[in-house]
Amino acid sequence: MARRYTTGILLLVLLTLGAVAVAHPEDIPANKAADPPAAPKLERKDYTEKTTAFKTEVTDPDSDPPKTRKVDLGAKFDMVWVPGGEFSMGSPDAEAGRDANEGPRHKVKVGGFWMGKYEVTWDEFDVFWFDEGFFKADDTAAKKFGPDAITRPTNTFVDATYGHEREGHPALCMTHHAAMMYCEWLRKKTGRAYRLPTEAEWEYAARAGTDGAYSFGSDPAKLDDYAWYKENSPDEDHPKGTTHKVGTKKPNPFGLYDMYGNVWEWTLDQYDPEAYTKFAKNPLSIRPVTVPTDKKWAHVVRGGSWADKAEKLRSATRRASEKTWMKWDPQEPQSIWWLTRMDVIGFRVVLAEDEQPDLVGLKPKVVKKSE
């Protein structure tokens, strides 16, 4: 525990030094710059996306002014084509471990989309977090841009990894707002309208054409082949469990890894306990979604985590975020970027082939005063 917080304090000091040294970056921040031209239309097949950025490192803090150097950042990630189709959303009444909010089961149709092959890793998230082409959210210069401008996360006051490994491991503990802003940043970088998956898209992708509790059937004994969860996540350095490198278990039939376990994944939807009841009144709900608002709470996470039992990893399991996920944040107002001690929350991105009308131009709306 002591090592964890010592590392966190050291990280905070280094980040603060960096912020002081680069108060006026060479490049004009792109927070409100014009949108990039639309990227070429994609073929219905898998592809790899790349991102680049830069940050400034202090090389000699004792010199006046401190000497710095510009460091290039970059990452790439794979996207998997998921053909659209129909499925039964939610769980049947007799499914073991079922919660009442998984019903009533209803027919849903989703369009085709690409989905991140893996959960977003720290390697990818850090390019966004440290991209000095954009102001940090707490930079005074960012205030003139308004709430819809793209900003990057503030510093954390503890080790952002909470003692989990970083390279190749899923990024964690970010808020729904931070995950949405990451997608906005991706849009600005690539010209493609990345976003979080809707609940319907997430469950459709997790089931991958199957109808059992998991994409491999309903026997949780097989879960060890597909997921990192409470029973198999502990290792020598983390006896209580931990995240693991993405893509180290078997994929589902769509070729998606870690849809179960490792970290819960944010979906786009604002949580509405009556949503399934409303959708079930339709013979077939076309691309259903509860569009997110300016409210911080609540949103839906899916898939379970390294700390959860098998029943929480089922395709139909839903969990709603709540204010207690930030109860250890001492700031007033509390951060809109980081949860506290919720080192089980992450996300992955999607790109719709043809965006549904109610999501065209959707932007993050949460601000500091949001509740």
Side-chain angles (χ1 to χ4, degrees):
M1 183 68 73
R3 182 173 66 83
R4 173 186 302 176
Y5 286 99
T6 300
T7 303
I9 292 171
L10 178 60
L11 177 62
L12 179 59
V13 169
L14 291 174
L15 288 171
T16 302
L17 283 172
V20 169
V22 297
H24 301 288
E26 296 174 10
D27 297 35
I28 298 173
N31 301 54
K32 285 289 284 185
D35 287 343
K41 190 174 178 63
L42 292 164
E43 296 182 47
R44 291 176 174 177
K45 62 181 184 180
D46 302 353
Y47 70 94
T48 299
E49 188 68 272
K50 297 179 180 178
T51 58
T52 60
F54 76 93
K55 68 175 181 178
T56 307
E57 284 187 350
V58 178
T59 57
D60 185 0
D62 297 326
S63 61
D64 186 18
K67 291 183 179 178
T68 62
R69 70 185 181 99
K70 192 173 179 180
V71 179
D72 291 327
L73 305 174
K76 61 182 181 179
F77 55 91
D78 297 326
M79 297 292 290
V80 173
W81 168 246
V82 178
E86 298 179 13
F87 74 110
S88 293
M89 187 170 181
S91 60
D93 293 346
E95 185 165 297
R98 181 182 191 270
D99 189 276
N101 71 0
E102 298 167 22
R105 214 171 191 209
H106 51 287
K107 290 288 186 181
V108 163
K109 182 176 183 178
V110 300
F113 58 94
W114 292 267
M115 182 175 236
K117 190 174 188 177
Y118 312 111
E119 292 158 337
V120 173
T121 65
W122 281 115
D123 313 72
E124 298 158 41
F125 194 80
D126 284 349
V127 180
F128 161 56
W129 191 4
F130 302 123
D131 182 0
E132 291 175 12
F134 295 81
F135 283 123
K136 268 200 314 183
D138 56 358
D139 192 312
T140 54
K143 293 181 179 178
K144 65 181 180 181
F145 292 123
D148 63 333
I150 299 174
T151 51
R152 54 193 176 91
T154 55
N155 296 342
T156 57
F157 59 88
V158 296
D159 171 19
T161 70
Y162 283 83
H164 301 278
E165 301 298 326
R166 195 178 195 96
E167 183 178 357
H169 289 242
L172 47 75
C173 215
M174 75 293 292
T175 62
H176 187 268
H177 172 76
M180 283 192 68
M181 194 62 84
Y182 174 84
C183 296
E184 275 293 282
W185 172 83
L186 272 184
R187 180 183 61 80
K188 203 80 163 184
K189 286 286 183 178
T190 65
R192 302 191 194 284
Y194 288 99
R195 59 169 169 77
L196 297 176
T198 66
E199 267 205 274
E201 289 168 340
W202 191 96
E203 186 169 327
Y204 178 79
R207 293 188 178 281
T210 67
D211 197 44
Y214 309 96
S215 60
F216 51 81
S218 296
D219 182 3
K222 298 179 180 177
L223 197 55
D224 185 61
D225 290 338
Y226 296 88
W228 294 109
Y229 68 120
K230 187 178 180 65
E231 299 301 320
N232 64 4
S233 73
D235 61 21
E236 187 174 336
D237 295 327
H238 307 86
K240 294 184 178 179
T242 185
T243 62
H244 287 259
K245 280 193 173 183
V246 300
T248 50
K249 290 293 187 179
K250 291 181 179 178
N252 76 4
F254 279 154
L256 300 166
Y257 291 77
D258 303 303
M259 291 299 288
Y260 307 130
N262 228 6
V263 286
W264 289 91
E265 299 175 13
W266 285 117
T267 65
L268 186 67
D269 295 54
Q270 199 87 26
Y271 179 67
D272 175 3
E274 301 301 319
Y276 279 25
T277 300
K278 289 187 284 188
F279 295 146
K281 293 178 181 177
N282 304 319
L284 178 66
S285 287
I286 309 296
R287 300 195 288 187
V289 61
T290 305
V291 178
T293 67
D294 61 351
K295 303 295 184 186
K296 286 174 73 175
W297 318 102
H299 302 92
V300 184
V301 292
R302 292 298 203 106
S305 79
W306 59 269
D308 289 291
K309 296 181 179 179
E311 65 186 45
K312 297 298 184 185
L313 276 63
R314 293 174 299 107
S315 298
T317 301
R318 309 172 73 205
R319 184 178 181 183
S321 61
E322 52 188 72
K323 197 170 184 178
T324 58
W325 291 13
M326 301 188 77
K327 67 179 180 180
W328 301 104
D329 185 343
Q331 304 169 96
E332 184 59 46
Q334 293 180 314
S335 175
I336 61 172
W337 295 95
W338 300 103
L339 306 169
T340 48
R341 302 191 186 181
M342 285 302 294
D343 53 344
V344 294
I345 305 296
F347 69 104
R348 75 177 71 210
V349 300
V350 297
L351 175 67
E353 182 180 35
D354 295 303
E355 188 58 283
Q356 53 196 87
D358 44 0
L359 298 183
V360 172
L362 179 69
K363 295 181 181 299
K365 298 177 181 176
V366 169
V367 295
K368 272 189 174 183
K369 294 181 180 178
S370 296
E371 295 291 337

